[in-house]
Amino acid sequence: MKSVINWLKKVSKKPLFLPLVSVFLVLVINLVYDAIQGNYVFEFLKFELKEGALYGRIIDILNRGSEAAILAIGMTLVVSSSAGTDISVGSVMSLAGSLCCMLLAGFGVTHVRELGELQMPIFVGVIAGIAVAGLCGLFNGFLVAKMKIQPMVATLIFFTAGRAIGLLLTNNKMVYIHLEQFKVFGGKLWIFPTPTVIAAACILVMAIILKTTSLGMYVQSVGINPKASRIAGINSVAIILLCYVICGLFSGVAGIVATSRIYSADSNNIGLNLELDAILAVALGGNSLGGGRFNLAGSIIGAYTIQAITTTMYALGVAKAQAPVYKAIIVILIVVVQSPAVKAYFAHRKAQKEGGLAVAGRS
Amino acid sequence: MEKNNMNKKKNINSHSILLLITVGLFILLYAAGYFMYGFGANAKGFEKLQNFLDIFRTNAALICIACGMTCVMLTGGIDISVGSLVAMDCMILSVGMENSGISPTLLVPFVLLIGIVFGAVQGYLIGYLGIQPFIVTMAGMFFARGMTAMICTDQVNITVDNWFKQVAGIKVYMPFELGAVVNKRGVKMVPYVNIPVIIALVVVVLVFLMLRYTRTGRSMYAVGGNQQSAALMGLNTKRTKMITYILSSFLCSIGGVLYCMNTMCGTTTQALGLEMKAISSAVIGGTLLTGGVGNVFGSFVGVLINGTINSLVSFNGELTRLGGTVPNVVSAFLLFVFIMLQAVFAKLRERKQ
């Protein structure tokens, strides 16, 4: 019995403990719900092949959560290196999608139905979209790293302007690209949903970069103390700049995925409030929003947890507009448990208890 | 000691320069509008005093909210829940009056009370539990927006005739018929404001006095300037933070009532993005997000600048045809200019020291 408690104590100190517990809780809620409803108990985990594509609730979560997961990668680096958040990612996503569609369809054209109507190859449009997002990241990074402006204020500029510029590019209209070749980014690749594959690729690329280079260590050291890292010979300005550029590029990728999903540039809605999800994912992943040490896996699990919560809520019959209430309560519960004051309180209680026991043992 | 004092003086000077720049920019912007749309042959009405007062009328709620936001930013925090809270307030007011037939005499104090409770919860989590303001107020934002939808998902228009509606309809004319013009039909038009504007102006003055002369107000500056020194000086930093968030949500609720008086309806998508407008107004007005520096008057001018930009764009036919997003681009650009100015001043100050 005691060894189990000790093991639990040890495990609960691991960085991935919190995100995994959140996932587990969501899973249990789903199981209980299905059991009550009289469905197959593991309905949540069940997936099958339907019309040549994987189908099931868990697949849906992996599919729908892709954008947040892709954004969470960049956001983790930004939070870690600059102790601030990039609130422009949602807007930049929309800008990337709008630019891509505008380039493909031509300015002012609202519908593209045949391959011949395209103004340029699809990959050029996609790369341009991702590139412009990277430029936005560069701009944000310049303001934060070089001009020493608070990240939230610096990114507020593109938060306001990104979506608006996107609307100007598309002439205030929805631009539809009804082409299978374009829909593929938000559709399916063989039997897998493409967004999931793209998210997996992004995670893999980032993981390889972090494993093979010392970028991760540099980022953390800059986040913990920029001055000390500069004295130790790390170019902290360049590191922060790089983090923002990476974050921008990933928001571009997420923007293309989101655009392709609805095969249209809907500047008003693409990536709406997704910056909040991305930041939440980072916090849920056990990362401090105050910068410093980071855990990429935690952030990604956090992103999928948020999606799992959302999907579960829809499955439980919560209306879309009301879902934020439950999300808010869950977020508050999780951060309260993580908060230093509560941790200190429990440590104090434990110390008191042990002290009491020691006294009792002596007498 | 002497040198320290001098440095302090320089600090204060460079901050008041930021405020001066804000005021100067506002005058410049307005003068530009005056010459473009209010002068000679192409006069479209920008020169009228009524147009100036309309900026106040449309932004009365934002003025209130920006005051609260300034206080929060002074302590080094941020409150992004304000837009959703305004939506929730409007929804409670309209559903209460229209569907349930409750008197506004009960509803308005109830909404203000909700603001205080909402702020107290956020303030407790931020001040006493030490959770990041951004995360807490983001949860508050989700909560309030979701609650709005829980109360009602449709748009509810207030049609009931009660004192709330009557107060909203009162026109307060300028004294001595200042700026009165005779229109084409020969009717004399005296410029007017409405009750929300007067409430908003009173709020600005009260918050200004509070920040300057009361213990609470000065501790807000101290906590934002350097939390550790403030704590060592014996200030209760936790309580100060909590009070700040209560104040912000309370002012936001007043803003919500004013907003409802202007729109006379409640919808789930109301006041979307209002928090960012409030933040950018405060930043344009010279409040630093790092805390400790700022002024309610600056934020007030910041709101006016945002309002003037919107007014200018609406006067320009070509820009209006491009769509409603142009003011966003222009105000983002202005925000950029201001942030750069702030950064340059911060660098200059560093060099001096």
Side-chain angles (χ1 to χ4, degrees):
Chain A
M1 192 61 203
K2 202 158 191 188
S3 65
V4 172
I5 291 171
N6 276 338
W7 179 77
L8 270 177
K9 268 182 197 159
K10 220 160 105 191
V11 166
S12 69
K13 289 209 177 75
K14 291 253 162 61
L16 277 183
F17 176 70
L18 191 85
L20 286 176
V21 166
S22 321
V23 172
F24 182 70
L25 274 179
V26 174
L27 197 67
V28 168
I29 292 171
N30 268 290
L31 292 184
V32 171
Y33 170 74
D34 282 329
I36 291 172
Q37 288 286 307
N39 295 340
Y40 175 55
V41 182
F42 292 103
E43 179 81 26
F44 179 72
L45 294 173
K46 202 173 77 177
F47 58 88
E48 56 195 344
L49 213 56
K50 232 184 216 178
E51 291 161 12
L54 286 174
Y55 182 84
R57 219 186 285 168
I58 190 104
I59 301 293
D60 194 45
I61 291 168
L62 287 177
N63 183 7
R64 297 270 156 205
S66 306
E67 283 102 319
I70 296 171
L71 289 179
I73 305 170
M75 191 65 82
T76 311
L77 293 181
V78 162
V79 167
S80 169
S81 68
S82 65
T85 49
D86 183 349
I87 58 166
S88 72
V89 286
S91 245
V92 169
M93 268 176 77
S94 157
L95 175 59
S98 298
L99 182 79
C100 171
C101 287
M102 191 276 277
L103 286 177
L104 292 181
F107 184 75
V109 183
T110 53
H111 286 274
V112 173
R113 291 205 175 76
E114 276 165 45
L115 215 50
E117 289 175 38
L118 283 182
Q119 300 293 314
M120 54 186 68
I122 286 177
F123 78 92
V124 177
V126 169
I127 287 172
I130 296 173
V132 80
L135 280 179
C136 294
L138 188 68
F139 178 81
N140 289 337
F142 169 75
L143 288 184
V144 174
K146 197 79 194 167
M147 303 307 295
K148 305 271 180 286
I149 294 165
Q150 280 227 328
M152 209 189 133
V153 185
T155 52
L156 185 65
I157 296 172
F158 262 108
F159 174 87
T160 324
R163 217 171 274 286
I165 296 172
L167 270 171
L168 287 182
L169 286 178
T170 55
N171 205 10
N172 268 333
K173 293 192 181 82
M174 299 261 286
V175 178
Y176 291 93
I177 313 267
H178 302 274
L179 289 173
E180 285 309 318
Q181 289 88 337
F182 185 69
K183 285 183 197 172
V184 72
F185 300 111
K188 64 183 171 75
L189 195 69
W190 189 43
I191 57 167
F192 300 107
T194 325
T196 315
V197 178
I198 294 177
C202 289
I203 294 166
L204 197 69
V205 167
M206 206 62 230
I208 290 173
I209 291 175
L210 289 179
K211 267 270 182 298
T212 53
T213 69
S214 26
L215 179 70
M217 198 184 70
Y218 285 173
V219 166
Q220 296 189 15
S221 96
V222 168
I224 291 165
N225 192 337
K227 268 185 193 158
S229 340
R230 209 186 56 228
I231 291 164
I234 299 172
N235 187 345
S236 54
V237 171
I239 293 288
I240 295 178
L241 199 66
L242 186 64
C243 288
Y244 275 86
V245 172
I246 291 174
C247 186
L249 289 175
F250 278 131
S251 25
V253 174
I256 299 294
V257 170
T259 309
S260 166
R261 225 188 254 286
I262 53 172
Y263 48 89
S264 61
D266 181 3
S267 295
N268 282 320
N269 292 317
I270 287 176
L272 198 63
N273 290 337
L274 219 58
E275 60 273 354
L276 299 176
D277 273 358
I279 296 166
L280 198 57
V282 174
L284 281 187
N287 299 303
S288 155
L289 289 183
R293 270 182 52 186
F294 75 87
N295 184 350
L296 194 63
S299 300
I300 290 155
I301 295 174
Y304 285 116
T305 311
I306 295 168
Q307 187 58 45
I309 293 171
T310 316
T311 308
T312 306
M313 274 191 297
Y314 292 162
L316 295 181
V318 177
K320 193 178 178 189
Q322 298 167 354
V325 174
Y326 303 102
K327 204 159 152 186
I329 294 170
I330 294 168
V331 170
I332 285 298
L333 282 180
I334 292 173
V335 289
V336 163
V337 170
Q338 264 184 309
S339 77
V342 172
K343 269 186 188 164
Y345 171 74
F346 278 114
H348 182 68
R349 275 278 299 271
K350 204 178 117 195
Q352 260 185 348
K353 222 178 185 179
E354 276 171 8
L357 278 179
V359 170
R362 217 176 293 152
S363 66
Chain B
M1 202 60 214
E2 191 89 290
K3 208 183 163 196
N4 257 348
N5 274 341
M6 269 176 72
N7 268 342
K8 218 176 223 175
K9 237 177 209 172
K10 267 179 201 159
N11 272 352
I12 291 166
N13 280 345
S14 69
H15 292 149
S16 53
I17 282 173
L18 275 180
L19 186 64
L20 275 180
I21 290 173
T22 316
V23 176
L25 189 91
F26 173 63
I27 295 169
L28 200 76
L29 205 67
Y30 211 84
Y34 188 85
F35 284 113
M36 275 157 72
Y37 307 114
F39 203 66
N42 47 3
K44 287 177 183 168
F46 197 88
E47 78 285 3
K48 285 179 190 155
L49 185 59
Q50 184 62 59
N51 184 61
F52 182 66
L53 296 180
D54 279 346
I55 296 175
F56 286 80
R57 283 207 305 151
T58 42
N59 291 306
L62 188 58
I63 290 172
C64 247
I65 294 163
C67 287
M69 187 66 81
T70 312
C71 296
V72 169
M73 280 164 66
L74 280 180
T75 63
I78 198 142
D79 185 354
I80 58 169
S81 69
V82 289
S84 303
L85 191 57
V86 163
M88 189 166 85
D89 290 345
C90 285
M91 189 57 101
I92 292 172
L93 286 171
S94 17
V95 168
M97 279 183 227
E98 192 66 27
N99 298 2
S100 315
I102 305 170
S103 154
T105 325
L106 283 172
L107 275 176
V108 171
F110 177 65
V111 161
L112 297 183
L113 184 73
I114 285 183
I116 291 174
V117 174
F118 199 83
V121 174
Q122 288 190 349
Y124 181 78
L125 291 172
I126 294 165
Y128 286 88
L129 294 190
I131 306 170
Q132 305 223 5
F134 191 89
I135 295 294
V136 172
T137 55
M138 187 170 86
M141 172 185 176
F142 285 151
F143 184 82
R145 187 67 69 184
M147 279 312 269
T148 312
M150 280 209 169
I151 298 167
C152 188
T153 45
D154 305 321
Q155 176 168 342
V156 183
N157 291 320
I158 302 176
T159 52
V160 190
D161 197 33
N162 50 24
W163 68 256
F164 189 79
K165 191 160 190 177
Q166 282 154 8
V167 165
I170 292 176
K171 289 179 180 175
V172 182
Y173 291 102
M174 288 300 281
F176 314 119
E177 302 192 342
L178 192 71
V181 282
V182 179
N183 71 1
K184 281 172 196 161
R185 282 190 221 133
V187 185
K188 196 189 233 173
M189 307 284 281
V190 183
Y192 66 94
V193 291
N194 52 9
I195 299 287
V197 175
I198 293 170
I199 298 175
L201 292 179
V202 169
V203 165
V204 171
V205 172
L206 285 182
V207 176
F208 181 79
L209 293 177
M210 187 215 71
L211 282 176
R212 192 142 264 204
Y213 298 110
T214 67
R215 184 194 286 257
T216 322
R218 311 216 89 180
S219 357
M220 283 177 192
Y221 277 100
V223 168
N226 190 333
Q227 193 171 339
Q228 277 169 339
S229 328
L232 287 176
M233 255 162 37
L235 291 176
N236 190 342
T237 56
K238 291 175 179 175
R239 209 187 65 182
T240 307
K241 276 190 177 176
M242 185 159 164
I243 289 174
T244 313
Y245 284 92
I246 293 176
L247 183 72
S248 166
S249 293
F250 177 67
L251 289 178
C252 174
S253 285
I254 296 181
V257 175
L258 303 186
Y259 200 96
C260 193
M261 278 186 172
N262 270 347
T263 57
M264 273 296 158
C265 75
T267 59
T268 48
T269 53
Q270 210 157 28
L272 266 181
L274 199 69
E275 59 278 353
M276 291 305 163
K277 270 188 198 158
I279 295 170
S280 72
S281 299
V283 170
I284 287 177
T287 311
L288 296 185
L289 260 136
T290 35
V293 178
N295 193 319
V296 174
F297 184 65
S299 308
F300 171 65
V301 179
V303 174
L304 293 186
I305 288 178
N306 269 335
T308 310
I309 293 168
N310 278 327
S311 172
L312 276 177
V313 172
S314 70
F315 268 95
N316 187 327
E318 276 174 42
L319 282 180
T320 320
R321 227 172 296 133
L322 277 175
T325 60
V326 179
N328 286 355
V329 180
V330 179
S331 90
F333 177 72
L334 271 179
L335 192 67
F336 169 64
V337 171
F338 261 89
I339 290 170
M340 290 308 270
L341 274 177
Q342 284 193 348
V344 167
F345 276 109
K347 279 227 163 122
L348 280 179
R349 207 163 60 224
E350 230 168 61
R351 209 165 287 166
K352 265 182 195 166
Q353 283 169 357

